[in-house]
Amino acid sequence: GAGVSQTPSNKVTEKGKYVELRCDPISGHTALYWYRQSLGQGPEFLIYFQGTGAADDSGLPNDRFFAVRPEGSVSTLKIQRTERGDSAVYLCASSPYVEGTQYFGPGTRLTVL
Amino acid sequence: GQQVMQIPQYQHVQEGEDFTTYCNSSTTLSNIQWYKQRPGGHPVFLIQLVKSGEVKKQKRLTFQFGEAKKNSSLHITATQTTDVGTYFCAPFGGTSYGKLTFGQGTILTVHP
Protein backbone atom coordinates (compact mmCIF):
# COMPACT_ATOMS: atom_id res chain seq x y z
CA GLY A 1 0.00 0.00 0.00
CA ALA A 2 0.94 3.65 -0.11
CA GLY A 3 3.52 4.84 2.35
CA VAL A 4 3.83 8.16 4.13
CA SER A 5 3.90 11.06 1.69
CA GLN A 6 5.13 14.59 2.26
CA THR A 7 4.70 17.71 0.22
CA PRO A 8 6.47 19.66 -1.03
CA SER A 9 9.64 17.64 -1.43
CA ASN A 10 11.66 20.85 -1.52
CA LYS A 11 10.81 24.31 -0.28
CA VAL A 12 12.97 27.38 -0.66
CA THR A 13 11.85 30.49 1.15
CA GLU A 14 13.20 33.79 2.33
CA LYS A 15 13.97 34.69 5.89
CA GLY A 16 10.88 35.98 7.64
CA LYS A 17 8.36 34.16 5.46
CA TYR A 18 5.71 31.66 6.58
CA VAL A 19 5.77 28.05 5.39
CA GLU A 20 3.52 25.02 5.65
CA LEU A 21 4.71 21.47 5.29
CA ARG A 22 2.20 18.68 4.73
CA CYS A 23 2.25 15.02 5.76
CA ASP A 24 -0.13 12.27 4.59
CA PRO A 25 0.27 9.27 6.89
CA ILE A 26 -0.39 5.65 6.08
CA SER A 27 -4.14 5.11 6.05
CA GLY A 28 -5.43 3.95 9.42
CA HIS A 29 -2.34 4.99 11.39
CA THR A 30 -3.46 6.84 14.50
CA ALA A 31 -0.07 8.18 15.54
CA LEU A 32 1.83 10.79 13.53
CA TYR A 33 5.25 12.23 14.29
CA TRP A 34 7.34 15.13 13.07
CA TYR A 35 11.14 15.15 13.21
CA ARG A 36 13.76 17.54 11.93
CA GLN A 37 17.10 16.38 10.56
CA SER A 38 20.05 18.69 10.05
CA LEU A 39 23.01 17.69 7.90
CA GLY A 40 25.14 15.05 9.58
CA GLN A 41 22.76 14.61 12.51
CA GLY A 42 20.15 12.11 13.52
CA PRO A 43 16.48 13.09 13.30
CA GLU A 44 15.36 15.28 16.18
CA PHE A 45 11.87 14.84 17.61
CA LEU A 46 9.48 17.79 17.30
CA ILE A 47 5.93 16.68 18.06
CA TYR A 48 3.62 13.70 17.87
CA PHE A 49 -0.13 13.30 17.56
CA GLN A 50 -2.40 10.57 18.78
CA GLY A 51 -5.51 11.05 16.69
CA THR A 52 -6.26 14.76 16.44
CA GLY A 53 -4.51 15.88 19.59
CA ALA A 54 -0.87 16.74 20.11
CA ALA A 55 0.25 14.21 22.73
CA ASP A 56 3.77 15.59 23.10
CA ASP A 57 5.04 18.85 21.61
CA SER A 58 8.13 19.13 23.79
CA GLY A 59 10.47 19.09 20.80
CA LEU A 60 9.11 22.20 19.10
CA PRO A 61 12.01 24.67 19.35
CA ASN A 62 9.92 27.82 19.96
CA ASP A 63 6.51 29.36 19.38
CA ARG A 64 7.22 29.98 15.69
CA PHE A 65 6.56 26.28 15.15
CA PHE A 66 3.06 24.87 15.25
CA ALA A 67 1.47 21.68 13.94
CA VAL A 68 -2.11 20.54 13.46
CA ARG A 69 -3.93 17.36 12.58
CA PRO A 70 -7.59 18.46 12.54
CA GLU A 71 -9.20 15.25 11.26
CA GLY A 72 -6.75 12.74 12.64
CA SER A 73 -5.16 12.02 9.28
CA VAL A 74 -3.22 14.68 7.35
CA SER A 75 -0.96 16.91 9.40
CA THR A 76 0.53 20.32 8.64
CA LEU A 77 3.66 21.72 10.25
CA LYS A 78 3.61 25.49 10.21
CA ILE A 79 6.64 27.71 10.66
CA GLN A 80 6.25 31.46 11.08
CA ARG A 81 8.93 34.09 10.50
CA THR A 82 11.39 31.54 9.19
CA GLU A 83 15.06 31.87 10.08
CA ARG A 84 18.13 30.51 8.32
CA GLY A 85 18.63 28.10 11.21
CA ASP A 86 15.31 26.44 10.34
CA SER A 87 16.89 25.00 7.19
CA ALA A 88 16.76 21.21 7.49
CA VAL A 89 14.92 18.15 6.26
CA TYR A 90 11.56 17.82 8.00
CA LEU A 91 10.54 14.19 8.34
CA CYS A 92 7.09 12.86 9.08
CA ALA A 93 6.40 9.34 10.33
CA SER A 94 3.27 7.42 11.20
CA SER A 95 2.54 4.27 13.18
CA PRO A 96 -0.60 2.20 13.72
CA TYR A 97 -0.50 3.05 17.44
CA VAL A 98 1.76 5.18 19.64
CA GLU A 99 4.37 2.55 20.50
CA GLY A 100 4.23 0.88 17.10
CA THR A 101 6.88 0.81 14.40
CA GLN A 102 7.29 4.23 12.84
CA TYR A 103 7.28 4.49 9.05
CA PHE A 104 8.98 7.56 7.70
CA GLY A 105 8.10 9.67 4.70
CA PRO A 106 10.68 11.00 2.23
CA GLY A 107 10.90 14.35 3.97
CA THR A 108 10.64 17.99 2.95
CA ARG A 109 13.93 19.79 2.47
CA LEU A 110 13.44 23.36 3.71
CA THR A 111 15.97 26.00 2.73
CA VAL A 112 15.69 29.47 4.22
CA LEU A 113 17.72 32.07 2.34
CA GLY B 1 14.40 11.84 26.23
CA GLN B 2 17.15 9.31 26.74
CA GLN B 3 20.48 10.27 25.20
CA VAL B 4 22.78 7.80 23.49
CA MET B 5 26.21 8.00 21.97
CA GLN B 6 27.08 6.03 18.87
CA ILE B 7 30.57 4.98 17.90
CA PRO B 8 32.27 5.11 15.56
CA GLN B 9 30.96 8.16 13.73
CA TYR B 10 32.39 6.90 10.43
CA GLN B 11 33.49 3.49 9.23
CA HIS B 12 35.07 2.67 5.89
CA VAL B 13 35.37 -1.00 4.99
CA GLN B 14 36.27 -3.12 2.01
CA GLU B 15 33.46 -5.22 0.66
CA GLY B 16 33.44 -8.53 2.48
CA GLU B 17 34.79 -7.14 5.75
CA ASP B 18 32.69 -7.09 8.91
CA PHE B 19 31.28 -3.94 10.50
CA THR B 20 30.09 -3.13 14.01
CA THR B 21 28.50 -0.01 15.45
CA TYR B 22 27.90 0.57 19.14
CA CYS B 23 25.24 2.52 20.96
CA ASN B 24 25.88 3.51 24.58
CA SER B 25 23.72 5.13 27.24
CA SER B 26 24.49 6.26 30.77
CA THR B 27 20.98 5.27 31.85
CA THR B 28 18.97 2.08 31.56
CA LEU B 29 16.91 1.97 28.40
CA SER B 30 13.41 0.57 28.09
CA ASN B 31 13.67 -0.49 24.45
CA ILE B 32 15.94 0.37 21.59
CA GLN B 33 15.33 0.48 17.88
CA TRP B 34 17.75 0.49 14.96
CA TYR B 35 17.23 2.32 11.69
CA LYS B 36 19.10 2.53 8.40
CA GLN B 37 19.15 5.63 6.25
CA ARG B 38 20.54 5.38 2.73
CA PRO B 39 22.22 8.49 1.29
CA GLY B 40 19.46 10.91 0.31
CA GLY B 41 16.82 8.67 1.82
CA HIS B 42 14.73 8.47 4.94
CA PRO B 43 15.18 6.29 8.04
CA VAL B 44 13.91 2.72 7.64
CA PHE B 45 13.13 0.58 10.67
CA LEU B 46 15.34 -2.48 11.09
CA ILE B 47 14.63 -3.99 14.51
CA GLN B 48 13.44 -3.39 18.05
CA LEU B 49 15.16 -4.90 21.10
CA VAL B 50 13.28 -5.14 24.36
CA LYS B 51 14.80 -7.76 26.65
CA SER B 52 18.05 -7.67 28.57
CA GLY B 53 20.74 -9.62 26.70
CA GLU B 54 18.52 -10.03 23.65
CA VAL B 55 20.15 -11.06 20.38
CA LYS B 56 18.31 -10.91 17.07
CA LYS B 57 19.53 -11.78 13.60
CA GLN B 58 18.41 -10.66 10.18
CA LYS B 59 20.44 -12.46 7.53
CA ARG B 60 23.92 -10.88 7.82
CA LEU B 61 22.85 -8.41 10.55
CA THR B 62 23.11 -9.27 14.25
CA PHE B 63 21.63 -6.97 16.89
CA GLN B 64 22.39 -7.18 20.60
CA PHE B 65 20.99 -5.48 23.69
CA GLY B 66 23.29 -5.44 26.68
CA GLU B 67 22.55 -7.25 29.92
CA ALA B 68 22.20 -3.94 31.75
CA LYS B 69 20.13 -2.46 28.90
CA LYS B 70 22.57 0.43 28.65
CA ASN B 71 24.18 -0.48 25.38
CA SER B 72 23.41 -2.10 22.07
CA SER B 73 25.30 -3.10 18.96
CA LEU B 74 24.72 -3.87 15.32
CA HIS B 75 27.12 -6.20 13.55
CA ILE B 76 27.14 -6.80 9.82
CA THR B 77 28.97 -9.86 8.53
CA ALA B 78 30.65 -9.73 5.11
CA THR B 79 29.51 -6.26 4.11
CA GLN B 80 28.12 -5.58 0.66
CA THR B 81 27.86 -2.30 -1.24
CA THR B 82 24.12 -2.34 -0.53
CA ASP B 83 24.92 -1.92 3.17
CA VAL B 84 26.10 1.65 2.58
CA GLY B 85 24.25 4.23 4.65
CA THR B 86 23.90 5.67 8.15
CA TYR B 87 22.86 3.37 10.97
CA PHE B 88 21.02 4.95 13.87
CA CYS B 89 20.06 3.58 17.24
CA ALA B 90 17.08 5.17 18.97
CA PRO B 91 15.87 4.57 22.52
CA PHE B 92 12.14 4.02 22.69
CA GLY B 93 9.53 3.65 25.39
CA GLY B 94 9.89 4.49 29.06
CA THR B 95 10.75 8.18 29.46
CA SER B 96 10.93 8.34 25.66
CA TYR B 97 7.31 7.19 25.35
CA GLY B 98 5.97 7.81 21.90
CA LYS B 99 9.06 9.45 20.47
CA LEU B 100 12.37 8.28 19.10
CA THR B 101 15.56 9.90 20.35
CA PHE B 102 18.10 9.16 17.66
CA GLY B 103 21.81 8.84 18.20
CA GLN B 104 24.17 10.69 15.89
CA GLY B 105 24.52 7.64 13.69
CA THR B 106 27.41 5.70 12.17
CA ILE B 107 28.10 6.37 8.51
CA LEU B 108 29.19 3.22 6.72
CA THR B 109 30.91 3.27 3.38
CA VAL B 110 31.80 0.06 1.59
CA HIS B 111 34.52 0.00 -1.05
CA PRO B 112 34.04 -2.65 -3.76
Side-chain angles (χ1 to χ4, degrees):
Chain A
V4 177
S5 62
Q6 292 185 245
T7 54
S9 55
N10 280 286
K11 177 70 177 178
V12 180
T13 191
E14 294 179 343
K15 180 175 178 293
K17 298 290 188 182
Y18 168 82
V19 296
E20 289 189 352
L21 312 179
R22 177 187 168 108
C23 172
D24 277 273
I26 294 172
S27 177
H29 281 194
T30 60
L32 184 147
Y33 313 79
W34 283 99
Y35 295 84
R36 176 169 72 173
Q37 187 172 25
S38 300
L39 194 62
Q41 302 294 318
E44 173 192 19
F45 169 79
L46 297 177
I47 184 171
Y48 87 87
F49 292 86
Q50 186 170 359
T52 60
D56 184 342
D57 64 358
S58 62
L60 294 177
N62 51 60
D63 61 6
R64 295 186 298 105
F65 289 75
F66 189 70
V68 295
R69 195 186 185 200
E71 298 178 356
S73 179
V74 170
S75 177
T76 304
L77 178 65
K78 308 179 181 195
I79 310 174
Q80 298 178 322
R81 304 182 304 279
T82 51
E83 300 177 356
R84 293 193 180 88
D86 298 335
S87 295
V89 175
Y90 288 80
L91 293 163
C92 175
S94 71
S95 64
Y97 49 92
V98 172
E99 290 277 89
T101 299
Q102 296 185 24
Y103 298 88
F104 283 79
T108 293
R109 181 175 299 278
L110 175 66
T111 304
V112 182
L113 300 176
Chain B
Q2 299 163 86
Q3 301 294 319
V4 290
M5 177 166 292
Q6 273 188 262
I7 52 172
Q9 191 173 356
Y10 302 94
Q11 186 75 59
H12 310 282
V13 299
Q14 289 290 330
E15 190 171 21
E17 292 181 339
D18 292 356
F19 159 75
T20 304
T21 174
Y22 300 91
C23 180
N24 300 311
S25 170
S26 59
T27 60
T28 302
L29 304 174
S30 181
N31 308 307
I32 194 158
Q33 296 186 354
W34 285 90
Y35 285 77
K36 176 184 178 181
Q37 186 171 23
R38 293 182 185 273
H42 56 273
V44 175
F45 174 80
L46 294 176
I47 205 97
Q48 175 165 296
L49 303 172
V50 177
K51 300 176 184 176
S52 168
E54 189 169 14
V55 178
K56 287 188 176 180
K57 293 190 176 184
Q58 288 179 352
K59 297 183 180 178
R60 294 179 295 103
L61 278 60
T62 302
F63 302 85
Q64 293 190 359
F65 204 6
E67 292 291 340
K69 299 183 76 173
K70 288 186 176 181
N71 51 65
S72 182
S73 65
L74 158 60
H75 178 83
I76 302 178
T77 303
T79 54
Q80 300 175 357
T81 55
T82 54
D83 296 326
V84 164
T86 303
Y87 293 85
F88 293 101
C89 65
F92 194 58
T95 57
S96 291
Y97 182 80
K99 60 192 179 188
L100 293 165
T101 306
F102 286 84
Q104 197 164 13
T106 295
I107 299 172
L108 173 65
T109 55
V110 180
H111 301 286

PDB file of all heavy atoms in Angstrom, chain B residues 37-60:
ATOM      1  N   GLN B  37      19.510   4.543   7.157  1.00  0.00           N
ATOM      2  CA  GLN B  37      19.155   5.630   6.254  1.00  0.00           C
ATOM      3  C   GLN B  37      20.158   5.633   5.100  1.00  0.00           C
ATOM      4  O   GLN B  37      21.342   5.898   5.315  1.00  0.00           O
ATOM      5  CB  GLN B  37      19.162   6.982   6.982  1.00  0.00           C
ATOM      6  CG  GLN B  37      18.672   8.146   6.148  1.00  0.00           C
ATOM      7  CD  GLN B  37      18.498   9.423   6.976  1.00  0.00           C
ATOM      8  OE1 GLN B  37      19.112   9.589   8.023  1.00  0.00           O
ATOM      9  NE2 GLN B  37      17.669  10.340   6.507  1.00  0.00           N
ATOM     10  N   ARG B  38      19.667   5.340   3.912  1.00  0.00           N
ATOM     11  CA  ARG B  38      20.538   5.377   2.729  1.00  0.00           C
ATOM     12  C   ARG B  38      20.825   6.835   2.379  1.00  0.00           C
ATOM     13  O   ARG B  38      20.032   7.727   2.701  1.00  0.00           O
ATOM     14  CB  ARG B  38      19.867   4.694   1.551  1.00  0.00           C
ATOM     15  CG  ARG B  38      19.679   3.201   1.726  1.00  0.00           C
ATOM     16  CD  ARG B  38      19.056   2.570   0.492  1.00  0.00           C
ATOM     17  NE  ARG B  38      18.755   1.174   0.688  1.00  0.00           N
ATOM     18  CZ  ARG B  38      19.612   0.191   0.485  1.00  0.00           C
ATOM     19  NH1 ARG B  38      20.837   0.460   0.049  1.00  0.00           N
ATOM     20  NH2 ARG B  38      19.271  -1.065   0.687  1.00  0.00           N
ATOM     21  N   PRO B  39      21.930   7.110   1.700  1.00  0.00           N
ATOM     22  CA  PRO B  39      22.220   8.488   1.290  1.00  0.00           C
ATOM     23  C   PRO B  39      21.058   9.086   0.517  1.00  0.00           C
ATOM     24  O   PRO B  39      20.568   8.492  -0.447  1.00  0.00           O
ATOM     25  CB  PRO B  39      23.465   8.320   0.414  1.00  0.00           C
ATOM     26  CG  PRO B  39      24.125   7.078   0.914  1.00  0.00           C
ATOM     27  CD  PRO B  39      23.003   6.166   1.316  1.00  0.00           C
ATOM     28  N   GLY B  40      20.583  10.248   0.963  1.00  0.00           N
ATOM     29  CA  GLY B  40      19.464  10.913   0.309  1.00  0.00           C
ATOM     30  C   GLY B  40      18.110  10.326   0.639  1.00  0.00           C
ATOM     31  O   GLY B  40      17.089  10.794   0.122  1.00  0.00           O
ATOM     32  N   GLY B  41      18.075   9.328   1.498  1.00  0.00           N
ATOM     33  CA  GLY B  41      16.816   8.667   1.824  1.00  0.00           C
ATOM     34  C   GLY B  41      16.309   9.009   3.206  1.00  0.00           C
ATOM     35  O   GLY B  41      16.806   9.920   3.857  1.00  0.00           O
ATOM     36  N   HIS B  42      15.309   8.243   3.635  1.00  0.00           N
ATOM     37  CA  HIS B  42      14.731   8.472   4.945  1.00  0.00           C
ATOM     38  C   HIS B  42      15.008   7.264   5.832  1.00  0.00           C
ATOM     39  O   HIS B  42      15.337   6.181   5.330  1.00  0.00           O
ATOM     40  CB  HIS B  42      13.219   8.701   4.819  1.00  0.00           C
ATOM     41  CG  HIS B  42      12.501   7.593   4.128  1.00  0.00           C
ATOM     42  ND1 HIS B  42      12.354   7.531   2.756  1.00  0.00           N
ATOM     43  CD2 HIS B  42      11.891   6.497   4.620  1.00  0.00           C
ATOM     44  CE1 HIS B  42      11.688   6.457   2.438  1.00  0.00           C
ATOM     45  NE2 HIS B  42      11.395   5.797   3.541  1.00  0.00           N
ATOM     46  N   PRO B  43      14.911   7.427   7.149  1.00  0.00           N
ATOM     47  CA  PRO B  43      15.179   6.292   8.043  1.00  0.00           C
ATOM     48  C   PRO B  43      14.196   5.148   7.803  1.00  0.00           C
ATOM     49  O   PRO B  43      12.999   5.368   7.640  1.00  0.00           O
ATOM     50  CB  PRO B  43      14.989   6.889   9.436  1.00  0.00           C
ATOM     51  CG  PRO B  43      15.165   8.362   9.256  1.00  0.00           C
ATOM     52  CD  PRO B  43      14.632   8.663   7.890  1.00  0.00           C
ATOM     53  N   VAL B  44      14.726   3.926   7.807  1.00  0.00           N
ATOM     54  CA  VAL B  44      13.913   2.725   7.641  1.00  0.00           C
ATOM     55  C   VAL B  44      14.146   1.825   8.843  1.00  0.00           C
ATOM     56  O   VAL B  44      15.287   1.531   9.190  1.00  0.00           O
ATOM     57  CB  VAL B  44      14.275   1.975   6.335  1.00  0.00           C
ATOM     58  CG1 VAL B  44      13.512   0.659   6.247  1.00  0.00           C
ATOM     59  CG2 VAL B  44      13.965   2.847   5.122  1.00  0.00           C
ATOM     60  N   PHE B  45      13.071   1.415   9.467  1.00  0.00           N
ATOM     61  CA  PHE B  45      13.125   0.577  10.668  1.00  0.00           C
ATOM     62  C   PHE B  45      13.777  -0.768  10.355  1.00  0.00           C
ATOM     63  O   PHE B  45      13.463  -1.423   9.351  1.00  0.00           O
ATOM     64  CB  PHE B  45      11.703   0.366  11.175  1.00  0.00           C
ATOM     65  CG  PHE B  45      11.583  -0.604  12.322  1.00  0.00           C
ATOM     66  CD1 PHE B  45      11.871  -0.216  13.612  1.00  0.00           C
ATOM     67  CD2 PHE B  45      11.170  -1.908  12.089  1.00  0.00           C
ATOM     68  CE1 PHE B  45      11.745  -1.100  14.669  1.00  0.00           C
ATOM     69  CE2 PHE B  45      11.041  -2.807  13.137  1.00  0.00           C
ATOM     70  CZ  PHE B  45      11.324  -2.398  14.427  1.00  0.00           C
ATOM     71  N   LEU B  46      14.706  -1.168  11.231  1.00  0.00           N
ATOM     72  CA  LEU B  46      15.340  -2.480  11.090  1.00  0.00           C
ATOM     73  C   LEU B  46      14.843  -3.458  12.155  1.00  0.00           C
ATOM     74  O   LEU B  46      14.420  -4.565  11.832  1.00  0.00           O
ATOM     75  CB  LEU B  46      16.866  -2.345  11.209  1.00  0.00           C
ATOM     76  CG  LEU B  46      17.586  -1.565  10.111  1.00  0.00           C
ATOM     77  CD1 LEU B  46      19.077  -1.451  10.435  1.00  0.00           C
ATOM     78  CD2 LEU B  46      17.364  -2.218   8.754  1.00  0.00           C
ATOM     79  N   ILE B  47      14.920  -3.041  13.434  1.00  0.00           N
ATOM     80  CA  ILE B  47      14.628  -3.989  14.510  1.00  0.00           C
ATOM     81  C   ILE B  47      14.324  -3.246  15.793  1.00  0.00           C
ATOM     82  O   ILE B  47      14.716  -2.082  15.952  1.00  0.00           O
ATOM     83  CB  ILE B  47      15.838  -4.926  14.744  1.00  0.00           C
ATOM     84  CG1 ILE B  47      15.428  -6.256  15.369  1.00  0.00           C
ATOM     85  CG2 ILE B  47      16.895  -4.269  15.611  1.00  0.00           C
ATOM     86  CD1 ILE B  47      15.255  -7.342  14.388  1.00  0.00           C
ATOM     87  N   GLN B  48      13.624  -3.898  16.700  1.00  0.00           N
ATOM     88  CA  GLN B  48      13.442  -3.391  18.054  1.00  0.00           C
ATOM     89  C   GLN B  48      13.926  -4.453  19.039  1.00  0.00           C
ATOM     90  O   GLN B  48      13.612  -5.630  18.891  1.00  0.00           O
ATOM     91  CB  GLN B  48      11.966  -3.053  18.335  1.00  0.00           C
ATOM     92  CG  GLN B  48      11.724  -2.633  19.777  1.00  0.00           C
ATOM     93  CD  GLN B  48      10.398  -1.970  20.013  1.00  0.00           C
ATOM     94  OE1 GLN B  48      10.155  -0.889  19.474  1.00  0.00           O
ATOM     95  NE2 GLN B  48       9.541  -2.586  20.803  1.00  0.00           N
ATOM     96  N   LEU B  49      14.686  -4.021  20.031  1.00  0.00           N
ATOM     97  CA  LEU B  49      15.165  -4.899  21.096  1.00  0.00           C
ATOM     98  C   LEU B  49      14.511  -4.461  22.396  1.00  0.00           C
ATOM     99  O   LEU B  49      14.447  -3.258  22.701  1.00  0.00           O
ATOM    100  CB  LEU B  49      16.689  -4.823  21.208  1.00  0.00           C
ATOM    101  CG  LEU B  49      17.462  -5.160  19.926  1.00  0.00           C
ATOM    102  CD1 LEU B  49      18.943  -4.864  20.112  1.00  0.00           C
ATOM    103  CD2 LEU B  49      17.250  -6.603  19.526  1.00  0.00           C
ATOM    104  N   VAL B  50      14.054  -5.435  23.153  1.00  0.00           N
ATOM    105  CA  VAL B  50      13.279  -5.140  24.358  1.00  0.00           C
ATOM    106  C   VAL B  50      13.886  -5.771  25.615  1.00  0.00           C
ATOM    107  O   VAL B  50      13.917  -5.168  26.672  1.00  0.00           O
ATOM    108  CB  VAL B  50      11.829  -5.625  24.184  1.00  0.00           C
ATOM    109  CG1 VAL B  50      11.022  -5.408  25.446  1.00  0.00           C
ATOM    110  CG2 VAL B  50      11.171  -4.933  23.006  1.00  0.00           C
ATOM    111  N   LYS B  51      14.380  -6.994  25.471  1.00  0.00           N
ATOM    112  CA  LYS B  51      14.804  -7.761  26.648  1.00  0.00           C
ATOM    113  C   LYS B  51      16.303  -7.632  26.909  1.00  0.00           C
ATOM    114  O   LYS B  51      17.117  -7.550  25.984  1.00  0.00           O
ATOM    115  CB  LYS B  51      14.466  -9.236  26.450  1.00  0.00           C
ATOM    116  CG  LYS B  51      12.997  -9.510  26.257  1.00  0.00           C
ATOM    117  CD  LYS B  51      12.769 -10.993  25.972  1.00  0.00           C
ATOM    118  CE  LYS B  51      11.320 -11.282  25.675  1.00  0.00           C
ATOM    119  NZ  LYS B  51      11.116 -12.684  25.298  1.00  0.00           N
ATOM    120  N   SER B  52      16.658  -7.666  28.161  1.00  0.00           N
ATOM    121  CA  SER B  52      18.055  -7.669  28.567  1.00  0.00           C
ATOM    122  C   SER B  52      18.783  -8.844  27.925  1.00  0.00           C
ATOM    123  O   SER B  52      18.291  -9.969  27.960  1.00  0.00           O
ATOM    124  CB  SER B  52      18.115  -7.789  30.088  1.00  0.00           C
ATOM    125  OG  SER B  52      19.407  -8.071  30.530  1.00  0.00           O
ATOM    126  N   GLY B  53      19.941  -8.567  27.296  1.00  0.00           N
ATOM    127  CA  GLY B  53      20.735  -9.624  26.696  1.00  0.00           C
ATOM    128  C   GLY B  53      20.193 -10.170  25.385  1.00  0.00           C
ATOM    129  O   GLY B  53      20.725 -11.133  24.843  1.00  0.00           O
ATOM    130  N   GLU B  54      19.163  -9.524  24.865  1.00  0.00           N
ATOM    131  CA  GLU B  54      18.517 -10.030  23.652  1.00  0.00           C
ATOM    132  C   GLU B  54      19.457  -9.974  22.448  1.00  0.00           C
ATOM    133  O   GLU B  54      20.208  -9.024  22.299  1.00  0.00           O
ATOM    134  CB  GLU B  54      17.261  -9.202  23.375  1.00  0.00           C
ATOM    135  CG  GLU B  54      16.377  -9.740  22.263  1.00  0.00           C
ATOM    136  CD  GLU B  54      15.030  -9.035  22.210  1.00  0.00           C
ATOM    137  OE1 GLU B  54      14.884  -7.971  22.844  1.00  0.00           O
ATOM    138  OE2 GLU B  54      14.133  -9.556  21.530  1.00  0.00           O
ATOM    139  N   VAL B  55      19.405 -11.005  21.622  1.00  0.00           N
ATOM    140  CA  VAL B  55      20.155 -11.063  20.376  1.00  0.00           C
ATOM    141  C   VAL B  55      19.177 -11.424  19.267  1.00  0.00           C
ATOM    142  O   VAL B  55      18.422 -12.397  19.393  1.00  0.00           O
ATOM    143  CB  VAL B  55      21.284 -12.112  20.416  1.00  0.00           C
ATOM    144  CG1 VAL B  55      22.006 -12.173  19.066  1.00  0.00           C
ATOM    145  CG2 VAL B  55      22.269 -11.799  21.526  1.00  0.00           C
ATOM    146  N   LYS B  56      19.172 -10.623  18.218  1.00  0.00           N
ATOM    147  CA  LYS B  56      18.310 -10.914  17.072  1.00  0.00           C
ATOM    148  C   LYS B  56      19.134 -10.878  15.805  1.00  0.00           C
ATOM    149  O   LYS B  56      20.063 -10.064  15.686  1.00  0.00           O
ATOM    150  CB  LYS B  56      17.165  -9.895  16.966  1.00  0.00           C
ATOM    151  CG  LYS B  56      16.085 -10.063  18.019  1.00  0.00           C
ATOM    152  CD  LYS B  56      14.903  -9.138  17.722  1.00  0.00           C
ATOM    153  CE  LYS B  56      13.774  -9.369  18.699  1.00  0.00           C
ATOM    154  NZ  LYS B  56      12.617  -8.477  18.426  1.00  0.00           N
ATOM    155  N   LYS B  57      18.792 -11.734  14.866  1.00  0.00           N
ATOM    156  CA  LYS B  57      19.526 -11.785  13.603  1.00  0.00           C
ATOM    157  C   LYS B  57      18.583 -11.566  12.436  1.00  0.00           C
ATOM    158  O   LYS B  57      17.443 -12.049  12.424  1.00  0.00           O
ATOM    159  CB  LYS B  57      20.236 -13.134  13.458  1.00  0.00           C
ATOM    160  CG  LYS B  57      21.362 -13.347  14.458  1.00  0.00           C
ATOM    161  CD  LYS B  57      22.182 -14.580  14.131  1.00  0.00           C
ATOM    162  CE  LYS B  57      23.354 -14.684  15.108  1.00  0.00           C
ATOM    163  NZ  LYS B  57      24.245 -15.812  14.773  1.00  0.00           N
ATOM    164  N   GLN B  58      19.098 -10.837  11.451  1.00  0.00           N
ATOM    165  CA  GLN B  58      18.409 -10.661  10.180  1.00  0.00           C
ATOM    166  C   GLN B  58      19.458 -10.893   9.102  1.00  0.00           C
ATOM    167  O   GLN B  58      20.246 -10.014   8.795  1.00  0.00           O
ATOM    168  CB  GLN B  58      17.855  -9.236  10.031  1.00  0.00           C
ATOM    169  CG  GLN B  58      16.676  -8.897  10.891  1.00  0.00           C
ATOM    170  CD  GLN B  58      16.224  -7.453  10.666  1.00  0.00           C
ATOM    171  OE1 GLN B  58      16.865  -6.665   9.980  1.00  0.00           O
ATOM    172  NE2 GLN B  58      15.099  -7.090  11.262  1.00  0.00           N
ATOM    173  N   LYS B  59      19.479 -12.094   8.564  1.00  0.00           N
ATOM    174  CA  LYS B  59      20.445 -12.456   7.527  1.00  0.00           C
ATOM    175  C   LYS B  59      21.858 -12.140   8.018  1.00  0.00           C
ATOM    176  O   LYS B  59      22.341 -12.745   8.969  1.00  0.00           O
ATOM    177  CB  LYS B  59      20.116 -11.747   6.217  1.00  0.00           C
ATOM    178  CG  LYS B  59      18.764 -12.159   5.648  1.00  0.00           C
ATOM    179  CD  LYS B  59      18.491 -11.492   4.320  1.00  0.00           C
ATOM    180  CE  LYS B  59      17.128 -11.930   3.797  1.00  0.00           C
ATOM    181  NZ  LYS B  59      16.784 -11.266   2.508  1.00  0.00           N
ATOM    182  N   ARG B  60      22.548 -11.171   7.435  1.00  0.00           N
ATOM    183  CA  ARG B  60      23.921 -10.877   7.824  1.00  0.00           C
ATOM    184  C   ARG B  60      24.003  -9.882   8.987  1.00  0.00           C
ATOM    185  O   ARG B  60      25.110  -9.551   9.424  1.00  0.00           O
ATOM    186  CB  ARG B  60      24.679 -10.311   6.612  1.00  0.00           C
ATOM    187  CG  ARG B  60      24.857 -11.317   5.475  1.00  0.00           C
ATOM    188  CD  ARG B  60      25.596 -10.698   4.279  1.00  0.00           C
ATOM    189  NE  ARG B  60      24.797  -9.621   3.667  1.00  0.00           N
ATOM    190  CZ  ARG B  60      25.030  -8.332   3.840  1.00  0.00           C
ATOM    191  NH1 ARG B  60      26.048  -7.911   4.576  1.00  0.00           N
ATOM    192  NH2 ARG B  60      24.261  -7.433   3.241  1.00  0.00           N
TER     193      ARG B  60
END
